[in-house]
Every structure is written in C-alpha cells, then in structure tokens.
Amino acid sequence: MSAPSGTQRTPETTDAGPALLRAVFRRHAAGVAVITAHGHGRPAGFTATSLASVAAEPPLVSFNIGTASSAWPVVAEAEYVGVHVLGEHQRELAATFARPGADRFAPPTRWRRGPHGVPVLEGVLAWMVCGVVARVPTGDHRVVLAQAVAGDSSGAGRPLLYHAGGYNALHEGAVPS
C-alpha cells in the first residue's frame, strides 16, 4: 500500500535475525579488502568488507572472519596478517578471494612475501602488515584486532565497494577530497 502524497509511509517492522541483518547490510556500502596470512606451510586469504580503523595511536584495525572459513585455521594462529584495500579494477581479485575452494594465490593473482613473511598482493590501493593483538569470539565469527607495523598507501585508483550483493565503483564526482 502506498502512502498518499505528503504523508509518511509507516515503516514495516521485521523481527531481528539473520534475514534482517543481511537485508540491512545489503543497503550498506562497504570498502573491499583482502586479508592474507601465512601458516600451515601455505598462504591463506579471504575477502572482507568488515575492515575498520579502530585507533590511530597505536594504529589498530579490526576485521571479522567466520570460523567456518577455509582461511580461519591460518588466521587463528598467525602472528601477522596482511590487510589490502582493493581498487575498482580488482573485482575479479575480490571474487577469487571470496570463492570457496579457489586457489587464491595461483596466477593471475600477483603477490610476494612481505614483512614477517605475510603474503602481500600487488597492484592494490594500499596494504599493511599488522601484528595480531586479539581474536574476540563473536557468534560464529571472530573479530580480529591488529596493529599496523608496515605498509604502503601509494597505489593509484579509486576504491572497490561492496553493495547490494555485488562489487561496485564510486560514481564520478563522488571522489573523496
């Protein structure tokens, strides 16, 4: 039922639960990052939209990872992780690191060993290697807090965003000042 012109529509309330959470966050645009680590004799990584700046002093970030993720066993034991901010030209890279069962570090993924042996992806807008400070249990996920120890923010381009179930770019004129 539509509201008559000039009146407000009555909001429809949905019971809180997984469906509501998913629906609300489909409306939330988030930057896209790839988190990497090395352990169990191999590199591991996953796409994350939960990256957040926590503090400037000391320089802390956080991200979430599901305990069912194939990368969780490595991240669960890693002393250091790589945090990579993806550009709009890296949709396929984001999809690769989000795809279950993918060989995420095989070509065409370009990477090298960075500080503390952490896999560092090439061609990203920015990256940091961070020492893991804490892993906080939160339902079927863990919130990982990590302190930046090295990095590079000199990549060129505009950020990749995740919105409404897909990867998107900023519209012209929406470039931050």
Side-chain angles (χ1 to χ4, degrees):
M1 173 182 221
S2 324
S5 181
T7 64
Q8 280 198 303
R9 185 176 159 256
T10 303
E12 294 183 27
T13 302
T14 303
D15 290 336
L20 176 62
L21 188 70
R22 283 190 212 53
V24 167
F25 276 89
R26 275 189 208 101
R27 296 183 153 288
H28 174 71
V32 181
V34 168
I35 309 299
T36 61
H38 192 273
H40 302 272
R42 65 181 176 88
F46 66 99
T47 300
T49 56
S50 59
L51 179 64
S53 171
V54 175
E57 190 57 44
L60 295 172
V61 298
S62 70
F63 60 86
N64 304 334
I65 180 172
T67 55
S69 165
S70 62
W72 171 242
V74 174
V75 174
E77 296 178 8
E79 288 184 53
Y80 294 91
V81 294
V83 175
H84 307 83
V85 176
L86 301 190
E88 64 185 358
H89 62 286
Q90 296 178 304
R91 290 176 183 179
E92 187 53 41
L93 183 65
T96 296
F97 276 83
R99 193 175 301 120
D103 186 353
R104 297 170 177 155
F105 292 89
T109 301
R110 296 181 356 254
W111 66 282
R112 62 181 170 79
R113 285 199 185 271
H116 302 282
V118 172
V120 172
L121 302 175
E122 299 290 333
V124 296
L125 296 185
W127 62 268
M128 297 182 293
V129 169
C130 302
V132 175
V133 174
R135 294 172 190 87
V136 182
T138 50
D140 61 354
H141 281 64
R142 296 296 181 269
V143 174
V144 178
L145 294 168
Q147 182 173 340
V149 297
D152 181 1
S153 64
S154 66
R158 297 180 343 161
L160 181 62
L161 301 176
Y162 189 78
H163 179 256
Y167 298 113
N168 298 280
L170 287 173
H171 292 292
E172 280 301 318
V175 177
S177 54

